[in-house]
Amino acid sequence: MRVNPFGKNDNSVIVGVAKAKRLMEDIPNKIQTQLGIICDVDLKDEDGKDYIEIDVKPYDVLISYQGKYHYRSGSTKQELKGNALNKLLLKKAGKTWDAVVEPRAKFDDIDTLAIEAFKKGATTSKRLPFIADEEDIEQILDNLLLLEDGNLKRSAILLFGKNPCRFFINAFVKIGRFGQTDDDLRFQEVIEGNAFQLADKTLEILDRKFFVSPISYKGLQRVESWEYPYEAIREVILNAIVHRDYMGAPIQISVYNDKLIVWNEGSLPEDLTFEDLKKKHSSRPHNPFLASAFFKGGLIEAWGRGTIKIINECKKAGLPEPIIEYSSGGISVTILKNIFSKKYLLEKGLNERQVEAVIYTKENGKITNSIYRGIFGLTEKTAFRDFEKLIELEILIKVGERKGTYYKLKV
């Protein structure tokens, strides 16, 4: 409840109001006409001066003024519109974006192949083992809570639609290959499809057009491995699909020589921090109906372990911990590539000793001058000169002073 006095100054001193009885009729009528709400208006008297108290009860819905919505930011009033208004309206209605019915969608817009892929995943993961025998698409969607009064929700189209972009123009993934700088775009690709296709399509395109696959041999058999850990990339993409804001920009993947960045528009829940993502945390997806179907289809876990899996997969591959942060109105995950191969280091102009020093540091976390001299039988002056070049090339950094000095990788 909020009580607003009419006839008091800013210091709450009674100054009185003229024509109080007439205002007692005009004020509630104008409030109802302009705002569509009802309030209590009381006439008060103090020291022979009339003042009016307007008692406004809280409302569960947003109140507009002449068709516009406003909010207070500090001491200023600002109009609420666009994406921010849509979010607040949904929040007040107790709904998420993916729970809203899509009135343009028909059952003919549903891709039966995507439904079959979901059934296979749900059966294999044993999360919905009996769905294999269900042939009625409408029943499947209803069981997944993707219908409301027989109408398709947005989540149904995103998950299983033949062409989700026809309904939601930014429901796609954009990949760009960059050179040395952000404005050096070499080539790009756009991947469209429903959510059950999108992750696999994106991984296939990344592998075929954007990644350089290291080749090794096991006996006579040629073995191609991924430039980045497959499971980590897959988990990042699945997380972006589930957590992104579909009223914003598409998912964007930027591939560089030394890193890969996956960005999606959105934000963390208010009481969750990026540090929380490094440990087990509650799972509160931005699009819970998408997340539920992904879980039941065996694509993701429902225990808030996705980011932990990403971090662990990178560590298993010998890569630095991914960087997860806010960027350009969304969340970005940066996976750093292991560029410290022997070939890369020799191309940088390092000698064999320095290359071995970097490999030792990568394996052990750090190296000292005395360890380096002991391995190669060097003088202190030569060892110091070798480390100076490694620091100059921004491969190692120096930590500590005097006897406590050691060197570690800069990444």
Side-chain angles (χ1 to χ4, degrees):
M1 178 179 70
R2 181 169 182 175
V3 177
N4 301 279
F6 193 61
K8 290 185 180 182
N9 62 19
D10 292 340
N11 298 318
S12 296
V13 176
I14 304 295
V15 294
V17 63
K19 301 179 181 179
K21 290 185 178 179
R22 180 177 176 180
L23 288 172
M24 288 289 292
E25 295 179 4
D26 289 347
I27 289 174
N29 289 334
K30 287 185 177 181
I31 290 175
Q32 187 170 7
T33 301
Q34 296 289 343
L35 302 174
I37 62 174
I38 298 173
C39 61
D40 295 326
V41 181
D42 295 322
L43 179 61
K44 303 285 186 178
D45 176 88
E46 188 174 311
D47 298 330
K49 296 178 181 177
D50 292 329
Y51 70 96
I52 295 170
E53 282 187 351
I54 305 170
D55 183 4
V56 183
K57 299 290 191 299
Y59 276 74
D60 292 331
V61 297
L62 293 183
I63 307 301
S64 68
Y65 174 66
Q66 295 183 342
K68 297 181 179 180
Y69 296 87
H70 300 84
Y71 71 101
R72 184 164 292 279
S73 177
S75 60
T76 63
K77 183 187 73 171
Q78 298 182 26
E79 185 179 351
L80 192 65
K81 53 187 176 181
N83 200 354
L85 176 58
N86 287 330
K87 286 181 181 178
L88 193 54
L89 287 169
L90 286 171
K91 185 177 179 180
K92 283 289 185 181
K95 282 193 170 187
T96 55
W97 183 88
D98 63 339
V100 176
V101 166
E102 176 47 61
R104 299 169 296 165
K106 312 293 182 187
F107 280 95
D108 286 344
D109 294 309
I110 298 298
D111 185 354
T112 56
L113 293 178
I115 294 287
E116 290 302 317
F118 168 80
K119 288 167 62 177
K120 183 178 179 181
T123 305
T124 303
S125 65
K126 299 182 180 179
R127 290 172 181 170
L128 287 177
F130 305 110
I131 200 171
D133 300 324
E134 182 59 69
E135 299 296 332
D136 188 340
I137 291 179
E138 186 170 349
Q139 187 61 54
I140 292 172
L141 295 176
D142 194 39
N143 289 343
L144 292 173
L145 305 179
L146 302 179
L147 300 182
E148 185 174 304
D149 297 328
N151 298 308
L152 294 165
K153 293 180 180 178
R154 289 168 171 169
S155 45
I157 293 297
L158 283 172
L159 285 161
F160 304 115
K162 292 175 182 175
N163 183 11
C165 287
R166 190 165 72 85
F167 298 90
F168 318 114
I169 192 168
N170 286 325
F172 63 90
V173 175
K174 183 165 65 173
I175 310 175
R177 181 62 169 89
F178 293 84
Q180 296 296 322
T181 60
D182 290 340
D183 59 355
D184 183 15
L185 178 62
R186 304 291 177 82
F187 56 91
Q188 60 184 324
E189 190 83 28
V190 170
I191 300 98
E192 297 183 359
N194 57 57
F196 263 87
Q197 299 169 333
L198 210 50
D200 286 338
K201 277 186 173 182
T202 302
L203 287 165
E204 189 270 328
I205 292 292
L206 280 171
D207 186 35
R208 180 162 51 86
K209 293 189 66 174
F210 290 84
F211 290 165
V212 178
S213 299
I215 298 171
S216 61
Y217 289 87
K218 190 174 182 180
L220 296 176
Q221 185 178 2
R222 174 187 168 114
V223 178
E224 290 192 21
S225 57
W226 270 59
E227 193 173 9
Y228 295 90
Y230 173 87
E231 289 297 331
I233 302 296
R234 179 178 182 275
E235 195 68 32
V236 172
I237 295 170
L238 289 171
N239 268 283
I241 292 170
V242 167
H243 293 286
R244 65 159 290 194
D245 182 350
Y246 281 90
M247 291 186 288
I251 295 169
Q252 297 174 33
I253 302 176
S254 304
V255 183
Y256 297 83
N257 291 336
D258 59 347
K259 64 189 173 185
L260 174 141
I261 303 173
V262 180
W263 178 92
N264 65 278
E265 191 155 324
S267 60
L268 294 180
E270 292 179 1
D271 56 346
L272 201 65
T273 67
F274 289 114
E275 280 301 311
D276 292 330
L277 300 181
K278 298 178 182 180
K279 55 192 176 185
K280 186 178 177 181
H281 55 276
S282 59
S283 178
R284 284 169 288 167
H286 190 72
N287 300 291
F289 289 89
L290 262 71
S292 176
F294 266 35
F295 170 72
K296 290 170 182 174
L299 295 178
I300 62 171
E301 298 292 335
W303 297 99
R305 297 189 299 175
T307 47
I308 299 173
K309 183 177 181 180
I310 294 166
I311 292 168
N312 288 340
E313 289 295 328
C314 287
K315 287 181 177 178
K316 278 166 55 179
L319 303 185
E321 184 176 292
I323 301 167
I324 308 175
E325 60 188 348
Y326 281 120
S327 173
S328 304
I331 296 175
S332 69
V333 179
T334 302
I335 297 181
L336 298 162
K337 180 181 174 183
N338 177 21
I339 60 173
F340 299 123
S341 65
K342 188 169 184 177
K343 179 176 180 292
Y344 170 84
L345 294 170
L346 289 172
E347 287 174 352
K348 281 284 190 180
L350 301 183
N351 60 40
E352 291 285 349
R353 295 192 308 268
Q354 292 166 321
V355 170
E356 290 301 320
V358 174
I359 293 173
Y360 179 95
T361 307
K362 180 174 177 288
E363 292 173 350
N364 295 276
K366 63 181 180 180
I367 190 171
T368 64
N369 190 297
S370 60
I371 290 173
Y372 186 56
R373 285 187 282 117
I375 294 173
F376 295 104
L378 304 173
T379 65
E380 188 169 348
K381 186 176 181 181
T382 301
F384 178 79
R385 191 166 55 244
D386 282 356
F387 280 121
E388 283 294 296
K389 183 169 184 180
L390 289 167
I391 292 170
E392 181 186 334
L393 292 173
E394 298 187 331
I395 295 172
L396 296 185
I397 58 172
K398 181 180 176 182
V399 180
E401 296 292 337
R402 297 183 181 179
K403 290 186 178 181
T405 298
Y406 63 91
Y407 302 86
K408 67 176 186 178
L409 294 177
K410 184 171 183 182
V411 175

